[in-house]
């Protein structure tokens, strides 16, 4: 575990962020560092982790640890869980952000590919939240934020199903653990201008411009919603309307009009 630091004092607490070197994860790291949080950054690419940690430590004077881990591998998830349980250096906020999507239909994917997808989107957040909650409940304070998606509100294959699990679990956990001083929250954005779709190698030029969100806005909304104790944050009026419509229309209609980039 590598560390980068200019100032180890942490009046704001310490946040552990998965998928922290790109997209929403990197934006969470930037905004939390700017507000004085020390950081533990988790991602697969060790070199990119070091580069990100150095930049954040220099820019904000915070203490930054890096923890390389592939969250599709149980042993590596367990290493991150062990860090969450370390009472000598407690984590006050967990951001479950790591994830990826699959471009082919469910039946066309190798089952091991689908299992890896499920492990990253569901199993890792489950195990990390479990580790974080044990520590946070003992201290009577803490925040867990998980990145979901508006895909959770429509029939969207295994990706939508995984994000639906995130929302269901979060709604329950926020009710259950608020009595212990812990907020459990999920942010459910639509299309966000990050590397996500580029890594999937899908076309995005067919998606109307008004449907795109920018990472700073999404992260600000997520953090503000968690501070207010909200279980689920949908960070734009346009997507709130889409979610509302999806609850009223039959599944076959929602599925036919589901927002999805083309190849």
């Amino acid at each position: 575990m590598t560390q980068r630091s200019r100032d180890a004092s942490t009046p704001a607490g310490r946040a552990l962020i998965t998928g922290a070197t790109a997209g929403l994860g990197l934006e969470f790291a930037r905004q939390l560092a700017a507000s004085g949080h020390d950081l533990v950054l988790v991602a697969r690419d060790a070199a990119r982790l070091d580069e990100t940690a150095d930049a954040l430590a220099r820019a904000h004077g915070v203490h930054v640890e890096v923890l390389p881990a592939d969250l599709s591998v149980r042993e590596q998830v367990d290493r991150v869980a062990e860090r969450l349980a370390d009472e000598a250096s407690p984590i006050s906020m967990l951001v479950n952000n790591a994830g990826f999507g699959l471009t082919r239909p469910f039946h066309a994917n190798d089952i091991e590919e689908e299992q890896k997808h499920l492990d990253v989107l569901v199993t890792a957040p489950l195990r990390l939240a479990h580790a974080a909650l044990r520590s946070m409940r003992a201290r009577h304070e803490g925040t867990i934020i998980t990145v979901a998606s508006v895909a959770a509100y429509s029939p969207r294959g295994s990706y939508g199903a995984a994000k639906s699990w995130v929302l269901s679990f979060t709604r329950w956990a926020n009710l259950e653990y608020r009595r212990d001083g812990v907020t459990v929250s999920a942010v459910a954005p639509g299309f966000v201008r990050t590397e996500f779709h580029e890594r999937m190698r899908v076309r995005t030029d067919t998606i109307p411009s008004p449907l795109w969100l920018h990472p700073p806005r999404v992260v600000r909304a997520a953090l503000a919603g968690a501070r207010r104790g909200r279980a689920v944050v949908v960070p734009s009026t346009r997507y709130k309307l889409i979610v509302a419509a999806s609850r009223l229309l039959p599944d076959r209609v929602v599925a036919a009009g589901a927002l999805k980039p083309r190849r």
Side-chain angles (χ1 to χ4, degrees):
M1 184 184 297
T2 306
Q3 300 185 359
R4 299 288 185 275
S5 177
R6 283 178 53 193
D7 181 358
S9 63
T10 319
R14 181 178 291 102
L16 186 149
I17 306 164
T18 68
T21 57
L24 290 177
L26 179 57
E27 186 59 33
F28 270 108
R30 287 168 174 160
Q31 291 194 26
L32 289 169
S35 66
H37 284 77
D38 283 349
L39 303 174
V40 181
L41 306 182
V42 179
R44 291 180 299 171
D45 189 330
R48 197 169 181 182
L49 274 173
D50 283 338
E51 180 182 348
T52 302
D54 285 336
L56 290 168
R58 287 195 304 268
H60 303 288
V62 295
H63 181 85
V64 186
E65 301 172 39
V66 299
L67 181 52
D70 181 342
L71 298 186
S72 69
V73 179
R74 178 64 58 83
E75 292 77 11
Q76 297 188 38
V77 175
D78 289 345
R79 285 199 297 112
V80 181
E82 288 173 7
R83 178 62 187 86
L84 286 162
D86 183 0
E87 288 301 323
S89 182
I91 302 297
S92 59
M93 179 181 293
L94 165 64
V95 179
N96 282 312
N97 165 76
F100 66 97
L102 300 173
T103 58
R104 295 181 298 178
F106 175 76
H107 68 273
N109 290 324
D110 183 85
I111 190 58
E112 293 307 320
E113 190 175 21
E114 286 285 350
Q115 183 64 61
K116 179 178 179 180
H117 186 237
L118 185 69
D119 287 341
V120 173
L121 296 186
V122 174
T123 305
L126 171 73
R127 297 181 73 87
L128 298 185
H130 188 266
L133 278 165
R134 288 192 164 188
S135 178
M136 291 174 178
R137 287 184 69 246
R139 300 194 309 273
H140 299 284
E141 65 86 23
T143 302
I144 298 172
I145 299 174
T146 303
V147 176
S149 169
V150 293
Y153 295 97
S154 63
R156 285 286 303 277
S158 56
Y159 181 82
K163 295 303 185 179
S164 292
W165 180 89
V166 168
L167 293 189
S168 180
F169 175 80
T170 298
R171 289 191 182 102
W172 166 80
N174 196 47
L175 289 171
E176 178 71 14
Y177 296 110
R178 65 175 59 182
R179 71 189 75 173
D180 300 317
V182 181
T183 296
V184 185
S185 186
V187 58
F191 292 103
V192 185
R193 293 219 180 265
T194 67
E195 298 176 8
F196 182 81
H197 298 103
E198 180 181 344
R199 292 200 305 267
M200 289 175 63
R201 298 181 179 178
V202 293
R203 288 181 56 191
T204 59
D205 57 335
T206 58
I207 302 169
S209 179
L211 293 179
W212 286 104
L213 301 174
H214 293 280
R217 176 180 179 178
V218 174
V219 171
R220 283 194 300 269
L223 293 174
R227 286 193 297 269
R228 294 194 295 269
R230 294 180 60 184
V232 179
V233 177
V234 179
S236 90
T237 300
R238 71 204 72 163
Y239 279 110
K240 289 175 182 175
L241 293 173
I242 290 170
V243 167
S246 72
R247 288 169 166 167
L248 297 173
L249 296 171
D251 280 352
R252 66 180 182 278
V253 175
V254 176
L259 298 172
K260 52 189 174 185
R262 302 174 183 171
R263 292 194 187 187

